[in-house]
Amino acid sequence: MADDSLNHHKRDPIKSSVGNVAAQRRRQNAVTVGKERRESLVRAKRLCRVGTSADGEVSSDSDMMVDEEQSILEMQTSSAVEELKSAVAYHGKGAMQKRVNALRELRRLLSRFEFPPIETALKAGAIPVLVQCLAFGSPDEQLLEAAWCLTNIAAGKQEETKALLPALPLLIAHLGEKSSSPVAEQCAWALGNVAGEGEEFRNVLLSQGALPPLARMMLPNKGSTVRTAAWALSNLIKGPDPKPATELIKVDGLLDAILRHLKRADEELTTEVAWVVVYLSALSNVATSLLVKSGVLQLLVERLATSNSLQLLIP
């Protein structure tokens, strides 16, 4: 009987195998749902047309462009990059406003169309000068415009996103508490686009320490900031490695913040937070256990029963 009692408390190897299969199935389902989300619901990478500020100057021109219009746009983009280089090199009277104006013009060009002239901007040498504009001590307006340009470059093809690697340390650094909320949010958006490109890029961001400051951005009750941070985090932890999900759930205050945000009336915010829960529960047994103990199931059921938003109901 003593042996039976002892064996009763040992993990059944068959049950353990079943548990591993279940965990693997959750991960596969998360990948499937993630692909559906990217293709049908929300782009994994997002072009920033209006940014995080109240700037409503960006026009939503037709996405159909004839060759002549494309050629003009490319010339304007090359010219804008050269103007930015000149502005950064200039240190006379009005230097700061000159830089901001040049950045704003490049940002407008990179924001106006569904297929922005990213390749042209890169060939003209935009990345090194944009990195210069992210230097600490720069005015917030300059930082915001530079981060916005980088956000839209990161929304491009894989090789275009890869060009952002030199900018990542500064983008991550500007997520900190010393940065203004708009600047931090725009940097989070850029990093979310980078993370959306794939596992290789997620690993680079994780190795450079992007996860903790993004997680801390979810703690306050700032709707827009939380929404952007949650979206970036869902791109960052989506797998297949379960370690980032486990690290995220252990951030002090994160679990309480998830519960608090899931109760909010803002369905866009709640949707992004729900996607974080999707990947946490799919990839990490530790996160799943903590989520269940926290009472998150009741909140999810309540939202499922009361929401008419398909975007929220799916996650």
Side-chain angles (χ1 to χ4, degrees):
M1 292 295 292
D3 289 342
D4 289 342
S5 176
L6 181 62
N7 289 335
H8 177 72
H9 293 285
K10 289 184 177 179
R11 182 176 295 276
D12 187 326
I14 297 177
K15 290 182 180 178
S16 177
S17 175
V18 170
N20 290 337
V21 171
Q24 182 62 28
R25 187 179 297 117
R26 288 203 310 274
R27 294 186 182 106
Q28 290 173 348
N29 287 343
V31 172
T32 301
V33 171
K35 287 180 179 177
E36 291 174 354
R37 174 200 190 196
R38 178 171 184 163
E39 295 168 2
S40 305
L41 187 61
V42 177
R43 291 178 61 190
K45 299 168 74 172
R46 298 176 181 173
L47 187 70
C48 180
R49 293 191 186 279
V50 296
T52 59
S53 67
D55 185 351
E57 300 171 359
V58 179
S59 61
S60 183
D61 294 294
S62 169
D63 294 333
M64 299 299 293
M65 296 181 62
V66 298
D67 290 343
E68 184 179 355
E69 291 174 323
Q70 183 67 35
S71 178
I72 293 173
L73 178 62
E74 290 174 357
M75 286 190 295
Q76 290 175 334
T77 303
S78 294
S79 176
V81 174
E82 292 305 316
E83 181 63 29
L84 178 57
K85 290 178 182 178
S86 175
V88 169
Y90 178 73
H91 297 288
K93 185 177 180 180
M96 187 273 286
Q97 193 57 50
K98 187 178 178 71
R99 287 194 301 272
V100 170
N101 290 341
L103 283 164
R104 184 176 292 126
E105 178 59 25
L106 179 58
R107 176 263 289 176
R108 285 172 173 163
L109 292 167
L110 290 170
S111 304
R112 290 177 60 193
F113 297 94
E114 183 67 22
F115 302 102
I118 296 173
E119 184 178 359
T120 301
L122 294 179
K123 287 181 178 179
I127 296 297
V129 70
L130 288 171
V131 171
Q132 281 185 266
C133 291
L134 283 177
F136 276 96
S138 301
D140 280 354
E141 194 174 6
Q142 175 178 314
L143 293 172
L144 180 63
E145 293 288 352
W148 191 341
C149 289
L150 291 167
T151 297
N152 285 354
I153 292 173
K157 302 173 184 176
Q158 184 179 53
E159 60 270 22
E160 294 166 346
T161 303
K162 195 168 187 177
L164 255 73
L165 292 180
L168 296 185
L170 278 172
L171 288 170
I172 294 170
H174 284 300
L175 299 177
E177 295 177 356
K178 294 183 178 180
S179 298
S180 71
S181 183
V183 169
E185 183 179 347
Q186 194 64 62
C187 290
W189 194 332
L191 295 171
N193 275 346
V194 174
E197 187 55 55
E199 183 181 359
E200 175 188 354
F201 293 85
R202 290 195 290 273
N203 288 339
V204 171
L205 289 171
L206 290 166
S207 69
Q208 294 189 7
L211 191 147
L214 281 173
R216 286 192 291 271
M217 288 177 68
M218 282 190 63
L219 303 185
N221 286 321
K222 298 177 181 178
S224 176
T225 301
V226 172
R227 185 167 62 245
T228 301
W231 168 75
L233 281 168
S234 69
N235 274 353
L236 187 60
I237 69 168
K238 64 173 54 173
D241 185 359
K243 291 181 181 178
T246 300
E247 180 184 348
L248 177 59
I249 200 66
K250 292 181 178 179
V251 172
D252 285 345
L254 191 280
L255 186 56
D256 289 339
I258 287 174
L259 298 175
R260 190 170 67 250
H261 297 318
L262 286 176
K263 297 175 183 177
R264 298 279 291 275
D266 182 344
E267 291 200 329
E268 287 187 26
L269 184 153
T270 306
T271 297
E272 298 301 347
V273 174
W275 276 109
V276 174
V277 175
V278 168
Y279 293 113
L280 286 172
S281 60
L283 294 165
S284 170
N285 289 331
V286 172
T288 302
S289 177
L290 291 173
L291 285 165
V292 171
K293 291 177 181 177
S294 72
V296 73
L297 294 178
Q298 182 64 33
L299 285 175
L300 294 174
V301 170
E302 289 174 2
R303 296 311 294 251
L304 196 64
T306 59
S307 176
N308 293 318
S309 168
L310 180 61
Q311 290 193 350
L312 174 56
L313 293 174
I314 289 175

